[in-house]
Amino acid sequence: MLLLLLACGPKHPAVVHTFPGADGRSCASQRVVTVDPDPWSAVTSIAVRLQADTPAAVGPPRSPLAIVHPDDLSGGLRIDLDGELGPAACTLVPGDPNAEQRTCGPYTFSIHYTPLCSTVPMEEGLERMGRPETANFVLAQKFGTRMPEPDVRNTWNTLEAFDLTGRIAACASGGPGCAELLAIQAQMDRGLARLDALDRFDDPKKARNLTSEGAGLDWCPWSVTPDGLRCEGPHPLRDLLTDDFLLVDTRKRCTVDTGSFLEIELAHLQERAPGPDGLRHQTCGGRTPGDDVIDRLLTLTINGPDRVPPGAPLYGPSDAAPDPHRGDGVDAPPEPFPSEFPWLREPRYAD
Amino acid sequence: MWTLALQLAGASDHFDGRASTRDPARDLTDVYAWVGEEAGQSRLALVMNLHPYAGRRSRFSEDITYRLELRRASVEGTGPDTHVETGEAFRIDCHLTESRDAMRCRLEPRGAHCPSCVRVLTARIDDPAGATADGIRMYAGLRRDPFFVNTLVVSRERGRQGDKPPKRLDVTDNALVRASVLSLVFELDPSEVLGGDGMFAVAGRSVWQAYLPDTPRLGRLE
């Protein structure tokens, strides 16, 4: 990575510390000073000056002398002046031909350091969020099994949101990080299949034969084996959800509680006919604060694509209620959202 | 704490993973994006929430960059071949100011050198008026958690994988009814700020940044 160093500006002084030096000690003795510079600065030079009227000299920096990492700062940064300056510290004493035996006169140390900037910072993703419930619902581990599933959510959180499917596709020939990416993809398939199969409890007879066609695996007809007995291949929602972002269209309007989550994606998935404006979707998409995304996700993933009245959208703003409606029993917040900026209500504290 | 985390395991993106649970200031709970209208013009609303169950003393982290990234997008294909292509990118990066009483956010396009496109806003924390400049309005501070979910039902849905049918699904408790979060809220004019209306992919991130020089690391002296 090419990084360009820049001084951070005049508010960061370059010369910060001046220390009195040892007087008359042997150069063989070690002179160590402790300084307390700002984190993420570089010690760029050490100047040594004789006191009073003796000529001054500046020791050349063995650039860079140190990069000050925040972790290094407990107790200050220790600098071995003799080690850094070598003979330069002692040649300041005039008239002594023998460097090994010379003593150093009284002098001061000036530690120069300069806070550094780079135009391209090094960064580490800590957490990411696009669509709700992808991490906690779809990628969650199944507990209580003989074969523990991996918790891929920490890795998931550190990845860029965009074009994850492209990165995973490039893993066909292997590469760094591919094991984690493929584990995420596999867990996505497992999670979606589990959600799809939850409605086998609607019909106890189906629950006895979970692998046959129609046994609660509603997304299965999109990826059923030729014998019609098993589902195979990726879940149809897998790649859509893997690229983890909200899709919003500023050509359409919503209110603060429009049910618009996933509407754009599903309009294309269901091959909805374009409207007069040429767009298949009807809302702004994205996600509004008042949208009941839990009910939407449960109904979509459990019911599958076919349990809607003929001609009705999979799950859209004007569709008839999918049969049956899946939900958590909480369909709205206790109080409506304000219709004006900043749209969210005053805080309320549990503590 | 672990019990609480399990209880909230189904709550949008709250407590999603061990690292986020340990450091709530990095834990993004929700991202919202929708389009309202003002004077006949579309206004894109963006909300990024973090810090589950924030209290009066909860603060944004001075070590973290809070980022919203937008990319122009188009949906290609239909049916099982549906996929999303993304292009021109914009980034909103927010940091606490040195005084820690305000949030400074910088919006700029990515991959194009355009100094005149950069917009910088600074809003005092918890000031409901926020800050307004150059087609953008922003707010930073504590707000009520807008997410609503019955985690008992959702956990039971997740927990009955192959075990037992659910006993009842009529519980109506919103687990987040008394919860607050730290919010970053933006309202922007797509025509003025993003170069026009259209479809956008939106995601939020919390990022740790360091400004390291391009020089070999010597390590500690001595």
Side-chain angles (χ1 to χ4, degrees):
Chain A
M1 185 188 304
L2 179 63
L3 300 171
L4 179 62
L5 297 185
L6 296 171
C8 279
K11 63 182 179 180
H12 300 287
V15 181
V16 181
H17 295 290
T18 299
F19 296 91
D23 186 1
R25 290 194 301 171
S26 165
C27 281
S29 65
Q30 187 180 53
R31 278 168 290 269
V32 176
V33 296
T34 301
V35 296
D36 187 26
D38 295 324
W40 302 121
S41 58
V43 178
T44 49
S45 67
I46 296 176
V48 182
R49 292 179 183 277
L50 289 177
Q51 291 182 343
D53 55 352
T54 50
V58 176
R62 296 179 186 175
S63 152
L65 293 175
I67 307 298
V68 185
H69 190 281
D71 293 344
D72 294 339
L73 282 180
S74 60
L77 180 72
R78 301 180 73 226
I79 297 179
D80 174 5
L81 291 168
D82 288 345
E84 291 300 327
L85 294 175
C90 291
T91 54
L92 297 171
V93 179
D96 189 339
N98 188 343
E100 293 298 323
Q101 301 300 320
R102 289 179 286 195
T103 57
C104 298
Y107 51 82
T108 60
F109 302 109
S110 294
I111 311 300
H112 294 229
Y113 67 87
T114 304
L116 299 175
C117 292
S118 64
T119 54
V120 182
M122 174 183 287
E123 65 178 43
E124 174 188 351
L126 301 175
E127 162 90 335
R128 186 200 69 246
M129 182 173 181
R131 297 185 183 90
E133 298 297 350
T134 305
N136 279 332
F137 219 70
V138 180
L139 291 177
Q141 298 162 279
K142 181 182 180 182
F143 296 107
T145 61
R146 291 180 185 174
M147 296 287 289
E149 294 178 354
D151 187 355
V152 299
R153 295 178 300 168
N154 282 339
T155 307
W156 168 258
N157 278 331
T158 61
L159 298 171
E160 287 279 356
F162 304 94
D163 197 32
L164 266 180
T165 50
R167 286 185 60 194
I168 292 174
C171 280
S173 54
C178 280
E180 289 88 354
L181 291 173
L182 293 172
I184 288 171
Q185 190 180 47
Q187 190 67 14
M188 187 82 78
D189 261 332
R190 277 193 293 266
L192 287 167
R194 265 203 297 272
L195 287 163
D196 189 359
L198 284 178
D199 55 353
R200 62 186 181 273
F201 298 109
D202 291 350
D203 182 349
K205 292 179 182 175
K206 289 181 180 177
R208 295 193 200 106
N209 185 6
L210 297 179
T211 57
S212 66
E213 185 180 12
L217 297 176
D218 302 273
W219 290 94
C220 189
W222 294 47
S223 54
V224 71
T225 54
D227 59 11
L229 295 180
R230 289 181 296 109
C231 292
E232 69 172 11
H235 190 286
L237 294 176
R238 184 192 70 184
D239 290 348
L240 266 181
L241 297 182
T242 299
D243 287 333
D244 186 29
F245 44 70
L246 298 171
L247 204 53
V248 62
D249 191 340
T250 64
R251 294 167 294 186
K252 297 281 191 177
R253 304 287 191 271
C254 289
T255 65
V256 77
D257 53 6
T258 300
S260 60
F261 175 58
L262 281 176
E263 204 258 330
I264 297 175
E265 294 93 324
L266 294 180
H268 285 74
L269 197 69
Q270 203 195 10
E271 305 182 57
R272 206 182 297 166
D277 55 5
L279 301 174
R280 297 178 188 273
H281 52 280
Q282 301 169 23
T283 72
C284 70
R287 179 189 177 195
T288 67
D291 197 351
D292 189 356
V293 296
I294 292 291
D295 284 19
R296 187 173 298 261
L297 276 170
L298 285 174
T299 305
L300 176 71
T301 55
I302 296 174
N303 282 6
D306 297 328
R307 265 189 275 176
V308 292
L314 265 179
Y315 208 121
S318 60
D319 54 344
D323 182 26
H325 178 86
R326 313 281 177 180
D328 62 347
V330 178
D331 299 329
E335 299 164 87
F337 291 100
S339 56
E340 294 181 344
F341 186 89
W343 300 296
L344 309 183
R345 289 196 168 275
E346 293 283 327
R348 180 181 282 170
Y349 305 106
D351 57 5
Chain B
M1 186 63 199
W2 184 235
T3 306
L4 177 65
L6 284 176
Q7 282 257 325
L8 289 168
S12 194
D13 213 49
H14 303 56
F15 301 113
D16 60 324
R18 279 172 292 186
S20 297
T21 303
R22 280 197 302 266
D23 182 6
R26 70 160 67 173
D27 189 356
L28 305 184
T29 60
D30 282 290
V31 173
Y32 300 90
W34 74 97
V35 185
E37 184 176 293
E38 186 175 288
Q41 298 294 313
S42 61
R43 304 286 290 180
L44 176 60
L46 301 168
V47 177
M48 182 163 74
N49 292 338
L50 55 126
H51 202 309
Y53 280 84
R56 289 178 179 82
R57 287 182 292 277
S58 299
R59 296 289 180 269
F60 294 98
S61 170
E62 58 192 307
D63 299 322
I64 292 175
T65 299
Y66 298 101
R67 174 176 297 165
L68 274 165
E69 187 156 353
L70 297 85
R71 292 195 184 184
R72 286 201 172 271
S74 61
V75 185
E76 307 294 337
T78 56
D81 298 325
T82 301
H83 63 283
V84 180
E85 300 284 347
T86 60
E88 183 185 14
F90 301 85
R91 183 177 281 182
I92 305 175
D93 274 357
C94 299
H95 305 262
L96 267 185
T97 59
E98 291 178 5
S99 58
R100 303 181 188 179
D101 62 353
M103 184 68 80
R104 180 178 296 124
C105 296
R106 173 188 174 96
L107 184 147
E108 62 180 326
R110 301 288 298 166
H113 181 66
C114 180
S116 63
C117 304
V118 176
R119 290 165 167 80
V120 179
L121 282 89
T122 303
R124 293 184 66 82
I125 301 294
D126 292 335
D127 179 0
T132 305
D134 299 328
I136 309 178
R137 191 174 183 187
M138 72 167 279
Y139 166 85
L142 282 159
R143 291 276 110 180
R144 196 174 305 178
D145 192 339
F147 193 59
F148 48 95
V149 63
N150 184 336
T151 52
L152 294 177
V153 171
V154 172
S155 297
R156 193 155 56 218
E157 285 285 329
R158 285 185 49 214
R160 69 187 176 109
Q161 300 152 353
D163 301 322
K164 296 175 182 176
K167 293 177 180 174
R168 54 198 289 265
L169 290 175
D170 56 354
V171 184
T172 55
D173 291 332
N174 176 10
L176 301 171
V177 71
R178 296 189 63 80
S180 294
V181 286
L182 291 170
S183 291
L184 289 167
V185 183
F186 300 89
E187 181 191 59
L188 53 89
D189 180 343
S191 299
E192 185 176 349
V193 178
L194 304 176
D197 282 322
M199 201 177 293
F200 293 90
V202 180
R205 280 193 110 189
S206 58
V207 177
W208 176 85
Q209 282 186 324
Y211 293 84
L212 291 174
D214 182 28
T215 48
R217 173 76 194 260
L218 296 184
R220 295 180 178 88
L221 295 171
E222 299 183 76

